[in-house]
Amino acid sequence: MGNRGRRLTEREKRWIVGLGLGLFLVLFVLVAWYAGRPLVAFASEPERFQQWVDSQGLLAPVLFMGMVILQVVVAVIPGEPLEIAAGYAFGALEGTVLCVLGTLIGGVLVFLLVRRFGAQAVEVFFDLEKFRSLRFFQDRRRLTFWVFLVFFLPGTPKDVLCYFVGLTDMRLRTWILVSAVARIPSIITSTVGGSALGMGEYAFAAIAFLAALAISGLGLLAYRAICRFHERRES
């Protein structure tokens, strides 16, 4: 009876948080190794993926969204193969919707995880110095603008940046809006190519993929320019 109302000490709280993060790290590694690699390999074979979608019936969209959510949370899994597979199996429109919903849910889960555990949840997976070096995250007055722009540009490391957004002062409802809208262009560039591939329009698919590659390259250059701009302004 005497211990039932005892409050946890700060040391005990740190142990609990550390244990929770440790378990999450183990789960993260296991999922990345045992689910991530086969997932990418599976999605990289459009015909095989189409057969799997057909065999799942009405469950296929739900299961696919689960794959996308997993890919966002386990940020080291590339998202492009899934987006191409979505366009191939579901068509450009439905594939885009499923990818947008999946990345939105995954992004919100990551945001809430970081808000719950703070910087400790991030530094388990990523170097916090990288976050500190991205000065646009420190621009509180125009934070929403910069985050939207970075997520809008194709080619930027969006899934990793999801973890960093949780360390900022951005409100959850703002993050939901940014995450839902800003990713659409980069997703469409992949799903349209996948859809063309599924319809046998190989020339158009090749053009779409080359255009997506070029746009991603330009987006990456723009992202680096944004980072350099903030570095010069802070120096």
Side-chain angles (χ1 to χ4, degrees):
M1 291 292 290
N3 291 332
R4 292 180 64 181
R6 185 176 72 85
R7 293 175 177 266
L8 293 172
T9 65
E10 288 301 316
R11 184 178 181 183
E12 289 171 334
K13 289 179 181 178
R14 287 196 296 269
W15 269 101
I16 292 172
V17 170
L19 180 61
L21 288 173
L23 291 174
F24 186 80
L25 174 61
V26 172
L27 179 63
F28 183 95
V29 172
L30 290 175
V31 168
W33 182 259
Y34 289 105
R37 292 185 311 123
L39 181 63
V40 172
F42 183 38
S44 300
E45 301 177 22
E47 293 182 1
R48 182 182 167 202
F49 188 79
Q50 178 71 68
Q51 294 172 356
W52 176 83
V53 168
D54 293 340
S55 69
Q56 299 304 314
L58 295 176
L59 272 178
V62 177
L63 294 174
F64 177 77
M65 278 182 55
M67 293 181 183
V68 178
I69 293 168
L70 172 65
Q71 178 268 316
V72 174
V73 174
V74 186
V76 295
I77 302 175
E80 287 78 7
L82 277 178
E83 293 166 3
I84 294 171
Y88 187 96
F90 298 101
L93 179 59
E94 186 179 357
T96 298
V97 170
L98 292 174
C99 287
V100 169
L101 289 175
T103 53
L104 172 60
I105 295 171
V108 169
L109 289 175
V110 169
F111 184 92
L112 294 175
L113 171 71
V114 175
R115 282 294 166 88
R116 174 65 181 84
F117 293 106
Q120 291 174 302
V122 178
E123 63 186 349
V124 169
F125 312 112
F126 309 107
D127 186 359
L128 278 180
E129 287 303 316
K130 179 62 177 177
F131 168 71
R132 297 187 184 100
S133 70
L134 299 175
R135 302 299 176 85
F136 62 86
F137 279 124
Q138 321 305 325
D139 188 350
R140 295 185 177 183
R141 195 160 56 89
R142 290 175 290 184
L143 176 64
T144 301
F145 167 77
W146 290 117
V147 171
F148 184 93
L149 180 60
V150 167
F151 275 79
F152 182 82
L153 294 171
T156 57
K158 298 175 181 60
D159 297 326
V160 174
L161 294 176
C162 283
Y163 280 84
F164 293 159
V165 172
L167 294 175
T168 69
D169 296 329
M170 183 175 287
R171 295 183 177 182
L172 176 60
R173 63 172 177 259
T174 304
W175 170 238
I176 290 174
L177 181 61
V178 169
S179 186
V181 177
R183 281 180 174 257
I184 292 176
S186 61
I187 290 174
I188 286 178
T189 57
S190 297
T191 54
V192 167
S195 177
L197 195 63
M199 292 186 293
E201 299 176 358
Y202 302 116
F204 181 79
I207 293 171
F209 290 139
L210 288 174
L213 184 62
I215 293 171
S216 295
L218 292 173
L220 184 57
L221 290 175
Y223 170 69
R224 290 177 176 173
I226 291 170
C227 294
R228 287 195 298 270
F229 168 77
H230 282 84
E231 287 173 2
R232 287 196 300 268
R233 197 172 68 170
E234 292 291 328
S235 60

